[in-house]
Every structure is written in structure tokens, then in C-alpha cells.
Amino acid sequence: MAAPGVSPGLAPAPHGPVPGRAGAALPVRHLVGLKARILLNTLTRSTWVLVGTVVGAAYFLFLLVTSLVGLFLLGREELSLVRTVLVLAGSAATLAWWLVPVLASRADATLDPARLALFPLTVGQVQWGQALGALVGVPGALTALALAGSVLAWRSSAAAVLTALVCLPLALALLFTGSRCVTALAIGLSRRRRLTELLSVVALMGLVFLGPLFAGAVSGLELVWERLPEYAATLAWTPLGAVWALPADAAAGRWAAAAARLGVAALTVLALVLLWRVAQQRALTSTAGERAAAAGGSDGAGLLDRLPSRPWAAVAARCLIYWVRDPRYSAGLLVIPAIAVLLWLTRDPGGPNVLFHALGPMVAALMAYTISADVSSDNTAVHLHLLTGLRGVHDRAGRVLALLVVAAPLAALGLLLPLAVEGRWHLLPGLLGTTVLALLGGCGLASVMSARYTYPVAPPGSSPLKTPEGFTVLNVLVQFVALALMLVLTLPAAVPLLVHAAGGSAGWGWAALAAGLVLGPLLCALGVVVGGRWYDRRAPELLQEVARFR
């Protein structure tokens, strides 16, 4: 007997999709009908959902009509222009179908194989159901209509029109199978939290580079426009654009090129179908083996075994592990190179480039400031320090030591990169002193601040881009004050450096170096001691404060 609410053709099976058995109980049309029924129920479950659907449909219908009018007008132009436009637009549509559902976490899961695991379906039937089910929905329907409308652009050549009509199923297969293949692969990768976090960080870096890239594209818009035919000619030989260039080859009588592009498109679809099939099978059967392999980890305590048996060393080892494995820390490590590239792209080749030369001190200060959120990032795990009776000075010293291991190489690279690019090596002593003072003095200030003030951060295990709850204007004010204090602490070395850079004698640079080498360690040690005392006094209060950050 069929399960309640299931189509009569759906007979449950205990072992899920059958990899290779033909003639299974459920035909593909039941899957497509199920997709349509779920879509209809979703649209009619609420008046507001229905109103929103109507408004959205009107908007997308307007876009479709505009596209069809544009394609009709494009048909009046030369076939070379039609080829360029359609190859570029088709390649962009292919990339959108392949990547947007995964990057936006909006992949259609209505016909997810995991949901159909109880029914006697072959993997091939599930694939057919998912591929044809893509037409049941706004994106699939609009894409199919737009592809049909693209035939209007080839109307000046009968051969091109016939070829475009023949290629329509192949183009739809390229879009739909590619989308489902990438989604199926992403299901397995999504179980790896580190990869998801890395994608979040990459997205953040993309936002950092968005401004310079947009400015560069606008400044070189004329050159890009002139090279569009060249880009289209290149894409026409790739899996992204081969199918869209076939009508132009047919119109020009280039049958050998048309056959080659047809082979590229057909082989791409075949490879996507096979890879999609393998990904589906592995997604359904690979979890048990992966968990068993993960359970058999190596013996030992890792980094904790390699450092001295001292309280500060244990804290340093734990913090170093955080710097490697916790995305809230490692995201900062990836953003630093992004800032360096941003300053390099925006520098003036003939100007003073003060910000570019200050990259070393900037990196040092930013890295030092990160440990001001150490206690907040620990969240309730800070209770381990309380229960073991760890002294505050050891807690502060361990955190600073871990930071120095990570931040010192980055600050050194930030210091040397501008000098190597610009060649102003005479500024090295002053910049070195300022960098040392920013790093060590900032560590001292952050050691005091994290023991006195806590502010909400992304909770453990979440994305580094997640907005923390409970963030107030006071928290922002405290952080601005802390950054301003870091700037003040660097003045004893920064002022002589600026005098030297403005034309002063080399002695000013050496004075900046001396100030950094003397005041830096002193401020760091003072911050560790004072912060340790604050920590000893306020440890229970700190635990209560961070426990509220969820």
C-alpha cells in the first residue's frame, strides 16, 4: 500500500535508488507531477505568498518580454554581431545555472535523491525526473522561453534557424544537467565545514576587490568593448559557449567547425551526466565509511605535546590551533593579503603612497587588535581556564605568544613589500621600529582590553561573516577608542619616521627604530601583567558575559 500523500505509482522501497535496474515502479512523469503539485501547494498556502508570486511573476514576465524584444531587434543585425551577443549571453547563462544555486544556497531540493531513498528508483530515473522537473518552476520556464526566443535572432538565415531549433534541447540539457551536477557535488562538499567557511571568506575577499575591479573595468570599458568578439570566439570553443555558436557556423557553411562544436557540447553534457550520476551514488552511500575513517584519528595531543609543560605554553598551543582551525581567526589571515593587494592597486606610481608604505604597521596593529576578542571568541570554553586555576598573567602571555607566531611573519611581509616595490629602503629602520611598536604595544593594549571589556562576536562553529547578536553602539565606541589608543601608542616611533620620510636626516629613522625596540616589549609586558590582574579579578564576570553571546 502506498504511503499517505504519495502518488499511487510511488511504492516505498527499503534500499533507496537502485543504481542500474531498469523498469522500476515509478515512472519519471510521477516525479515531474510531484514537483508540479508541491510547487502549486507552495504558491497557494498563503494569500501573501500568492500575492508575492504574482508580483514576482509580473516582474520576470517583463524581463522575458524585454529579452524577446531585444532578440527580435538583434535579428536585424549582422550574423557576426548576433554570434558575439548570443555566445556571451549564453555563456553567462550557463555559468549562472551552474554556480548561482550553490553559491546562494538556493538549490532546488524538491526532488533530492535523499528524499526519494524509500522508493524503488534507479539513479537514471531520478536524474530524468530532476532534469525535466527543472522546467516546472519560474527559472526553468523563463529560461526555456528565452532560449526559444533566441531563434528569432537567427531569422536572417534559414540554416541558422534550423540549427538553433535542433540545439535547443542540447542547450537546455547543458544548463539543467550542469546545475544538478554541481549541486550534487556540493552536497558532498557541504559536509566539510571548512570548505563552506572558505567559500564565505572568498566571498568576503571578493567584496574587498569589488571596488578596484569595477573601477578598472570602467576605465577600460572601451578596450573591453572592442575585444568582445575576441572573447566570444574563445568561449565558442569551450563547454560554456560551444552550443551557442553552432547556428552561426551553419549559416556560414562551416560544417567542420559546427561538427567540432557539437562534439564539444555533446561530450560536455555526457560528462556532466556521468559525473552527476557518480556524485548521487556517493552522496547516498559514502557517509558511513567517512565517519569510520574520521573516528580512527592519530594518537597524541598534537601541538600540546610539542610545547613545554607550562600553563602559558598550553594556552599558546590552544590559541595556535584556533588560528589554524577556527574560521573566525583564519578569516583575518586571508583578509590581510586582500588589504595588501587593495593598497597596491590603488597606489599612485609617482606619489608618496603613505598608506602603501604603512602596510607593515597597519598589519601589525590589526593583528594585535584581534586578540581583544579572544575571550569573547572562547565563549563558554573559557570556563576551562577558571576551573584549572590558571593565573591571568599566564593566560595573557599564552595568547600574546600565539599571536606573535602568526602575526610576526605577516607584519614582516607587509613591511618589506612596499619597500621592494617602491625601492625606498632608507625607510626600513623607521618602518621596522613603528611595526614592532604597533605589534607589541597593540598586544599589550589588547591584553588589557580583552580582560576588561567583552563584545559580541560570531559564535563558535558559525561562519566568520555571521552578524553577532547583541552588538550595540557602546561596543562600537569601545572598539574605536581601542584603535585610537593603538594609534597613539605608535606615535613615539611614527613621528620620527614621518620626519625622516619628509626629508629629515637618517638619524630620525634610527630614533624610530630605537623607540620601537624599547617601548614595544615594555608596553607588551606591562599589558600582560595589568591584563592578567584584571583577568584574575573579573574571571567569573567574564564567563557570565560571554555566555550570553549566542
Side-chain angles (χ1 to χ4, degrees):
M1 179 177 294
V6 179
S7 175
L10 300 178
H15 302 296
V18 183
R21 197 181 72 209
L26 180 64
V28 174
R29 63 184 180 88
H30 283 290
L31 290 175
V32 179
L34 179 63
K35 170 78 178 291
R37 182 179 300 180
I38 293 176
L39 178 62
L40 181 62
N41 292 340
T42 302
L43 297 181
T44 58
R45 67 182 180 183
S46 168
T47 303
W48 288 110
V49 172
L50 183 60
V51 171
T53 302
V54 172
V55 174
Y59 172 73
F60 284 114
L61 185 61
F62 169 76
L63 293 180
L64 176 63
V65 172
T66 304
S67 301
L68 293 178
V69 172
L71 290 170
F72 180 81
L73 296 177
L74 182 63
R76 301 178 179 178
E77 306 296 332
E78 297 180 356
L79 285 178
S80 59
L81 179 59
V82 176
R83 177 179 182 268
T84 298
V85 172
L86 289 186
V87 168
L88 294 175
S91 300
T94 304
L95 274 180
W97 266 92
W98 290 7
L99 299 181
V100 169
V102 176
L103 295 179
S105 299
R106 292 294 185 270
D108 183 12
T110 306
L111 300 180
D112 188 352
R115 298 187 176 188
L116 303 173
L118 295 177
F119 303 103
L121 300 172
T122 66
V123 175
Q125 284 180 327
V126 175
Q127 287 182 293
W128 274 106
Q130 289 182 329
L132 296 179
L135 293 171
V136 183
V138 175
L142 290 180
T143 301
L145 292 175
L147 288 181
S150 67
V151 178
L152 297 173
W154 300 108
R155 68 181 184 275
S156 61
S157 170
V161 170
L162 290 176
T163 306
L165 288 173
V166 173
C167 289
L168 280 180
L170 184 60
L172 287 173
L174 180 72
L175 299 178
F176 296 162
T177 59
S179 176
R180 298 308 312 190
C181 176
V182 174
T183 303
L185 292 173
I187 290 175
L189 295 177
S190 64
R191 297 191 183 102
R192 304 177 183 179
R193 185 169 60 92
R194 294 288 294 171
L195 180 62
T196 305
E197 295 157 354
L198 179 61
L199 290 177
S200 300
V201 174
V202 170
L204 177 60
M205 295 180 66
L207 293 177
V208 173
F209 287 121
L210 186 60
L213 290 177
F214 180 76
V218 171
S219 62
L221 185 60
E222 183 177 356
L223 178 61
V224 171
W225 181 263
E226 294 175 353
R227 301 188 66 178
L228 286 181
E230 179 182 344
Y231 298 152
T234 302
L235 287 171
W237 286 106
T238 67
L240 295 176
V243 69
W244 314 106
L246 277 169
D249 291 333
R254 298 189 295 265
W255 300 110
R261 294 189 214 277
L262 180 61
V264 171
L267 289 176
T268 300
V269 173
L270 179 61
L272 289 172
V273 170
L274 295 177
L275 188 59
W276 175 16
R277 184 186 187 91
V278 172
Q280 278 194 344
Q281 291 177 351
R282 295 187 62 179
L284 292 172
T285 60
S286 62
T287 54
E290 292 176 356
R291 290 177 181 176
S298 58
D299 296 334
L303 189 60
L304 292 170
D305 284 339
R306 293 176 174 83
L307 292 181
S309 299
R310 298 289 185 272
W312 54 267
V315 175
R318 186 175 68 84
C319 292
L320 283 173
I321 293 173
Y322 279 10
W323 277 105
V324 174
R325 297 184 178 179
D326 194 325
R328 298 172 299 170
Y329 287 79
S330 55
L333 300 180
L334 295 178
V335 171
I336 293 298
I339 295 176
V341 175
L342 179 63
L343 293 178
W344 180 76
L345 291 175
T346 56
R347 68 189 178 91
D348 182 6
N353 297 314
V354 176
L355 288 179
F356 186 50
H357 281 92
L359 180 60
M362 287 174 58
V363 171
L366 290 175
M367 292 298 294
Y369 180 75
T370 57
I371 62 173
S372 66
D374 258 15
V375 176
S376 299
S377 298
D378 282 351
N379 207 269
T380 54
V382 76
H383 82 279
L384 297 173
H385 293 197
L386 275 65
L387 295 178
T388 55
L390 182 71
R391 292 182 56 195
V393 65
H394 293 155
D395 177 274
R396 307 287 94 184
R399 297 179 189 273
V400 169
L401 178 60
L403 173 74
L404 293 179
V405 171
V406 177
L410 290 176
L413 289 175
L415 168 66
L416 297 176
L417 177 63
L419 299 179
V421 173
E422 300 288 341
R424 303 180 66 179
W425 289 99
H426 63 283
L427 298 177
L428 177 59
L431 284 173
L432 178 59
T434 306
T435 302
V436 171
L437 184 55
L439 180 59
L440 296 181
C443 285
L445 178 62
S447 297
V448 176
M449 179 182 174
S450 64
R452 184 62 184 86
Y453 298 100
T454 59
Y455 51 88
V457 298
S462 64
S463 169
L465 303 183
K466 181 179 173 124
T467 303
E469 299 180 2
F471 210 83
T472 64
V473 177
L474 179 61
N475 300 132
V476 177
L477 180 61
V478 169
Q479 294 188 55
F480 272 115
V481 170
L483 291 173
L485 288 176
M486 283 192 175
L487 179 62
V488 172
L489 291 178
T490 60
L491 290 180
V495 171
L497 170 62
L498 292 175
V499 173
H500 177 45
S505 63
W508 289 102
W510 292 105
L513 176 61
L517 295 179
V518 172
L519 293 178
L522 180 62
L523 290 175
C524 183
L526 182 62
V528 167
V529 173
V530 175
R533 292 179 179 176
W534 273 108
Y535 178 87
D536 290 334
R537 296 176 185 174
R538 302 190 67 250
E541 298 175 23
L542 290 175
L543 179 59
Q544 292 179 354
E545 292 175 2
V546 299
R548 295 196 298 266
F549 301 154
R550 297 292 184 185

